[in-house]
Structure formats: structure tokens, C-alpha cells
Amino acid sequence: MVMESSSAASGGSTRREATRQKLYEAAVTLIAEQGFSATTVDEIAERAGVAKGTVYYNFASKSVLFEELLRHGVGLLAASLKEAAERTDREGGSKVDALDAMIRAGLGFIAAYPSFTQLYVAELWRTNRAWQSTLMVVRQDVVAVVEGVLRDGVAGGEFSDEIDIQLTAAALVGMVLVAALDWQSFQPERSLDDVHSALSRLLQGRVSGRG
């Protein structure tokens, strides 16, 4: 599945954006299959159906391509979480409802892009990568969306003011990532609705205190 941005999905992408989409898709698939070091620019170009020079026209190096892939993919995840929270707010839902909607959106993203998610989680635990600082920035972009909902919930009296907002947000994001990867790898027979229901019950009990 192509990792489309909102502009691409609406049909307003430029030719260069379309080419970058092909390169992202080729890179994430190959790197998931054989690792970053073993993947060559020639293989990425061949998988994408473009000339090798096209890769270097769009990205200075394989490392830059991978760094931009991380930015692009995590940016889409953050946007999907934010959209879910904003939609819940427009519909008059509570902050727990917003968190629940974000869990579902996160699961949906991971189901759509399992190879990217595996790479992202793996890279979070590596050190001395050229793109480590970028990875930390984009990680915080995702966590910050959840932090905002938690902060609003505390301000509105829906959540206890004893909640550690930063740690709770990171824990919720981590819960979705790990549970979704476990689902995809070891319990693929389960539906998204089923997995969402299980995490929703956990959310209700751990965050809101409701049974």
C-alpha cells in the first residue's frame, strides 16, 4: 500500500511527490525484508521502477531517503491521531472517547503500514544512527498529540491531576504500537474491531477509572 499524504489522496500531488511515494514504498519494503545495510540504492530504484539517478535526484543518499521516510510515515501517523481526536471533539465526545478514537486510528495505520511500523519501532531502540535526532523529533510529534488530549482532560476535570502526562502519553503510544505488532505477527486472525475492543477496555480501566 502506498503511503499517501493527504494531498496525494486528493489527487493534487505533483509528479515528484508521486515519485517519492514510489521510493518510500520500495525502501520500506526492501529494508523490512533484508535490513538497511543490505539494501542498495540500485535495489530501491529497481523496486520503484525508476532509474538510479532518480533516487539521487530526490534524495542525496540512502540514509537521507530513510530519514525522510521516517518523517513522512510518522507524520502520517501523527496526523491520523490528531484527526481522530478533533473529530471526537466536534462530535461532543469526552477526552476518553478521543483517546479511544486515537487508539483505533493508530491500529488502522499500523494495519495499513505494518512494514513501516516494524522499521519505526526497531529504529527507536537503535543508537548511533545518522537519523537519531530526526527520529526523536518525529516520535515526540506523535506523543505530543496524545499529551494534548490528556492535558485538556486534566484541565477539564475528566482525568486526575496526578496523571503524569508525558509518561502516560508515551505509554499509550507504546501500548498501541506493541499490541498492534503482536496482533499482526502472532494473532493475524483477530479483527481490528477485536483488538480495538481489548485496548479500549484497558484504556477505560487504566485512565478513566471506569469499569
Side-chain angles (χ1 to χ4, degrees):
M1 176 176 285
V2 177
M3 300 181 67
E4 293 184 330
S5 65
S6 59
S7 60
S10 65
S13 63
T14 64
R15 181 173 298 180
R16 186 177 186 188
E17 286 172 336
T19 299
R20 283 178 169 240
Q21 294 288 344
K22 290 181 182 179
L23 293 171
Y24 288 145
E25 181 70 10
V28 74
T29 303
L30 285 166
I31 294 170
E33 290 174 354
Q34 58 194 34
F36 178 81
S37 297
T39 299
T40 67
V41 171
D42 290 287
E43 289 173 319
I44 293 172
E46 182 179 359
R47 181 69 65 94
V50 301
K52 181 177 179 179
T54 301
V55 180
Y56 289 115
Y57 175 76
N58 286 275
F59 305 100
S61 67
K62 184 177 70 171
S63 291
V64 171
L65 167 57
F66 190 64
E67 183 173 353
E68 289 303 311
L69 170 64
L70 290 172
R71 285 184 185 275
H72 179 71
V74 179
L76 291 180
L77 174 58
S80 70
L81 298 183
K82 185 177 181 181
E83 180 182 355
E86 291 176 344
R87 183 174 62 252
T88 303
D89 187 58
R90 290 194 301 269
E91 294 171 352
S94 68
K95 296 308 174 186
V96 170
D97 293 333
L99 292 174
D100 189 57
M102 293 165 81
I103 287 175
R104 186 175 184 87
L107 291 173
F109 177 89
I110 293 164
Y113 309 122
S115 295
F116 172 78
T117 306
Q118 290 168 6
L119 286 177
Y120 171 61
V121 172
E123 290 301 316
L124 283 174
W125 300 106
R126 297 184 190 276
T127 57
N128 300 322
R129 292 290 211 187
W131 50 79
Q132 192 66 28
S133 60
T134 293
L135 190 61
M136 292 302 99
V137 169
V138 296
R139 171 203 168 273
Q140 184 54 36
D141 288 345
V142 173
V143 174
V145 178
V146 184
E147 286 179 354
V149 173
L150 290 171
R151 194 171 289 110
D152 289 345
V154 170
E158 189 174 345
F159 302 145
S160 168
D161 58 9
E162 295 180 357
I163 285 179
D164 185 319
I165 291 176
Q166 287 184 320
L167 189 58
T168 301
L172 287 170
V173 172
M175 175 185 75
V176 173
L177 287 172
V178 173
L181 289 177
D182 186 89
W183 162 42
Q184 294 284 307
S185 299
F186 305 113
Q187 306 178 63
E189 73 282 357
R190 301 183 69 167
S191 67
L192 190 152
D193 286 341
D194 187 25
V195 177
H196 173 233
S197 178
L199 296 187
S200 180
R201 284 192 293 270
L202 182 60
L203 170 71
Q204 299 289 339
R206 292 294 184 269
V207 176
S208 72
R210 299 202 299 266

